């Protein structure tokens, strides 16, 4: 008689990319949205003050980028929650301040810069702010995508405990007269 061994289903967790992979994804997502945002800011700046246009586009692009970063860049496997949106908004506010300050300084140095010069300054400041933003997002906001942050750890721990409570595997040595067979695992409660 062969021992009955209960087969446990193995779940493969979300594999989050490493630092280099995350940075490449961040550049593709954030940089792509940043370039599109740059054009949108330039278009809106024709109808309203530049700082207001930058604020409007920054809010819209931050919401979009936060979702993309949660799902794709940092590999959390789920959409961003309110906590991630607020923390991401904080880092975007700092990036907004950097880009606005850079363009303000440009306008102080050069009274009427061309659109190309303004875009170069804006994109350069966005790039520098983006590196800082990447570090904040990777190390603090979406750290749970790699090592199980507070919310994710709770969800996984609770899920594992609930699954374990439903399906216990017990190793019991099976005895025949004067002979011990290999341990057999019996599934209890499944």
């Amino acid at each position: 008689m062969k021992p009955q061994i209960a087969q446990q289903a193995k779940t493969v967790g979300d594999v989050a990319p490493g630092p280099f992979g995350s940075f490449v994804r961040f550049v593709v997502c954030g940089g792509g949205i940043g370039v599109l945002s740059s054009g949108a800011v330039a278009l809106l700046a024709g109808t309203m003050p530049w700082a207001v246009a930058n604020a409007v586009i920054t809010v819209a692009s931050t919401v979009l980028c936060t979702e993309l970063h949660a799902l794709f860049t940092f590999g959390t496997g789920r959409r961003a929650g309110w906590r991630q949106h607020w923390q991401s908004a904080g880092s975007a506010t700092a990036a907004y301040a950097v880009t606005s300050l850079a363009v303000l300084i440009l306008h102080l140095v050069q009274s009427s810069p061309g659109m190309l010069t303004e875009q170069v300054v804006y994109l350069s400041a966005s790039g520098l702010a983006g590196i800082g933003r990447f570090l904040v997002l990777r190390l603090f906001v979406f750290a749970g995508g790699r090592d199980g942050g507070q919310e994710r750890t709770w969800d996984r721990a609770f899920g594992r405990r609930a699954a374990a409570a439903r399906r216990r595997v017990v190793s019991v040595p099976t005895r025949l007269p004067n002979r011990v067979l290999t341990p057999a695992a019996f599934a209890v409660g499944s």
Side-chain angles (χ1 to χ4, degrees):
M1 178 176 190
K2 289 185 179 181
Q4 295 178 348
I5 299 175
Q7 297 291 326
Q8 278 187 309
K10 290 185 178 182
T11 57
V12 179
D14 298 328
V15 178
F20 181 73
S22 291
F23 186 71
V24 169
R25 291 177 178 196
F26 181 82
V27 169
V28 169
C29 289
I33 299 293
V35 169
L36 293 174
S37 296
S38 154
V41 169
L43 289 173
L44 277 180
T47 62
M48 60 183 71
W50 187 91
V52 174
N54 190 21
V56 168
I57 296 302
T58 298
V59 168
S61 66
T62 299
V63 170
L64 177 61
C65 280
T66 301
E67 290 296 329
L68 288 173
H69 292 325
L71 293 171
F72 182 69
T73 304
F74 300 108
T76 64
R78 60 184 178 153
R79 293 183 63 182
W82 284 107
R83 180 184 64 83
Q84 286 93 1
H85 275 289
W86 280 112
Q87 289 175 332
S88 183
S91 69
T93 300
Y96 169 77
V98 168
T99 57
S100 293
L101 183 63
V103 172
L104 176 67
I105 291 171
L106 171 67
H107 283 273
L108 291 174
V109 172
Q110 196 175 26
S111 61
S112 59
M115 183 187 242
L116 181 61
T117 304
E118 194 171 78
Q119 287 299 300
V120 167
V121 169
Y122 175 78
L123 290 173
S124 298
S126 291
L128 290 174
I131 292 170
R133 191 157 185 256
F134 169 77
L135 293 172
V136 168
L137 293 177
R138 175 148 175 94
L139 298 174
F140 301 106
V141 178
F142 294 110
R146 293 184 317 281
D147 60 3
Q150 294 174 346
E151 292 176 0
R152 191 163 189 174
T153 300
W154 173 257
D155 292 344
R156 284 189 173 176
F158 181 75
R160 281 190 207 123
R161 288 185 190 128
R166 288 189 304 268
R167 181 185 66 254
R168 298 262 186 232
V169 176
V170 180
S171 179
V172 179
T174 306
R175 288 192 175 266
L176 289 179
N178 296 329
R179 192 169 147 183
V180 175
L181 297 176
T182 59
F186 299 97
V188 179
S190 46

